[in-house]
Amino acid sequence: MSDGLTLNDLVVPLRALRQLVADFGRLTAPTVQVSTIWPDRLELSFHGDLSDFEAWREALAITPDAVTYRTQSAGRTRVLLASGEYAGAAVKLVAYADLHAPAPVRVSA
């Protein structure tokens, strides 16, 4: 089933992606999503390393207080979310990382 959009209707996030490559090509490559559901949005996601999310957040000048933290998978996965704008596109950053259980504390007798 088609929603009637053409590839030309996705020009805003695709142009932003092209500009990101030109401006920040040295940064770790994210998983990139462009969707007909949100035709003006570019989503960049990172899996396993929150430092990649932080590098992109800083590059896109998204303030730290704009980051939302939550967990999923019964508290086993950290999720960071942030949004901003770049080259006319809404940009959504998402990071997923395992939430490791803290090491057990040994009590000396």
Side-chain angles (χ1 to χ4, degrees):
M1 175 184 240
S2 172
D3 56 12
L5 294 180
T6 67
L7 195 55
N8 282 333
D9 295 319
L10 302 176
V11 71
V12 171
L14 292 173
R15 189 175 292 137
L17 179 60
R18 183 176 180 186
Q19 190 63 45
L20 285 172
V21 171
D23 291 345
F24 306 114
R26 71 189 186 291
L27 293 177
T28 302
T31 299
V32 175
Q33 182 177 355
V34 175
S35 170
T36 56
I37 297 169
W38 295 286
D40 291 332
R41 184 167 85 185
L42 176 64
E43 184 172 314
L44 309 176
S45 61
F46 306 89
H47 301 266
D49 192 345
L50 299 178
S51 64
D52 294 335
F53 172 94
E54 282 298 306
W56 276 96
R57 181 195 59 73
E58 288 179 11
L60 295 171
I62 298 172
T63 62
D65 60 330
V67 176
T68 303
Y69 172 83
R70 68 176 194 216
T71 61
Q72 66 183 36
S73 301
R76 294 187 314 259
T77 303
R78 295 178 198 193
V79 181
L80 297 179
L81 301 161
S83 295
E85 190 174 311
Y86 185 80
V91 178
K92 180 178 179 183
L93 298 180
V94 184
Y96 304 95
D98 290 337
L99 183 65
H100 301 290
V105 177
R106 294 184 185 238
V107 178
S108 299

